[in-house]
Amino acid sequence: MDRFDALILDALQRDTRQTAEALAAKVGLSADACRKRANRLRAAGYIEADVARLSPERLGRGLMLVVEVTLMNERPAALARFKQRMRAAPEVMQCYYVTGNADFILILSARDMADYEAFTRRHFFDEENVARFRTSAVMERVKTGFTMPVPGTTGNAAPGSTGSPPEATS
């Protein structure tokens, strides 16, 4: 991966609907080169998915919750069962198996508190391996998304680097 690839990744993670022409203007390559590089980056696994960030409020799912779940048993089969349940639950937007005080951190959406209570009954109270869970209701979505620093881009330039793209050669 070179600096052009890094700039393409950085731009696409902010807006995957950009045209190859818009990428070309940002990166300093031709639209065709940007299209080929983006396809190569997808094939190489740098881009895991192209997704749309939806408005929970517009969909009637404005209650966002962060839930810490602690299991009684962390044997591989028990972990696999819980992970599969969370993957299958449409309310769960993100699920992380973590170290620390809890075993899992969930980010989920609900219509209202009654909807969340029904979720807890199905997935926590009816699951004999859930020891406890702790819920925090989101008051404001300050930052959402999956953008991350991409080495080789302006915001992550090495000390002494100009941060500008190299001369186009492909």
Side-chain angles (χ1 to χ4, degrees):
M1 182 170 80
D2 64 14
R3 182 147 168 80
F4 288 116
D5 290 338
L7 291 168
I8 290 169
L9 286 174
D10 192 52
L12 286 176
Q13 78 172 338
R14 296 171 198 291
D15 180 5
T16 97
R17 295 188 317 163
Q18 295 181 68
T19 63
E21 290 74 20
L23 277 176
K26 291 177 182 172
V27 174
L29 293 175
S30 71
D32 192 48
C34 287
R35 198 174 358 266
K36 287 176 184 175
R37 283 173 176 261
N39 289 336
R40 189 182 77 240
L41 290 165
R42 282 183 179 89
Y46 285 95
I47 299 172
E48 293 180 345
D50 293 304
V51 298
R53 187 171 55 217
L54 305 179
S55 167
E57 294 82 11
R58 298 283 299 183
L59 295 171
R61 302 198 61 82
L63 180 60
M64 306 297 293
L65 304 139
V66 179
V67 184
E68 299 175 21
V69 180
T70 303
L71 302 181
M72 287 191 274
N73 172 337
E74 287 188 76
R75 290 191 181 106
L79 286 173
R81 185 174 67 246
F82 187 80
K83 289 175 186 178
Q84 184 53 40
R85 286 180 62 117
M86 293 304 99
R87 281 186 200 104
E91 302 90 343
V92 176
M93 300 166 59
Q94 297 174 46
C95 176
Y96 300 97
Y97 178 43
V98 299
T99 62
N101 294 331
D103 297 314
F104 288 89
I105 302 291
L106 310 176
I107 310 296
L108 59 98
S109 69
R111 288 186 303 275
D112 51 31
M113 198 52 80
D115 188 38
Y116 176 58
E117 181 183 9
F119 175 88
T120 64
R121 289 186 190 286
R122 284 191 316 275
H123 295 286
F124 302 154
F125 292 115
D126 290 347
E127 172 57 51
E128 69 278 354
N129 195 33
V130 173
R132 66 187 161 279
F133 63 95
R134 189 171 89 180
T135 305
S136 297
V138 173
M139 294 173 49
E140 177 185 357
R141 291 185 308 148
V142 176
K143 181 179 180 180
T144 62
F146 290 101
T147 60
M148 64 180 71
V150 178
T153 60
T154 304
N156 305 292
S161 165
T162 65
S164 59
E167 293 299 315
T169 57
S170 58

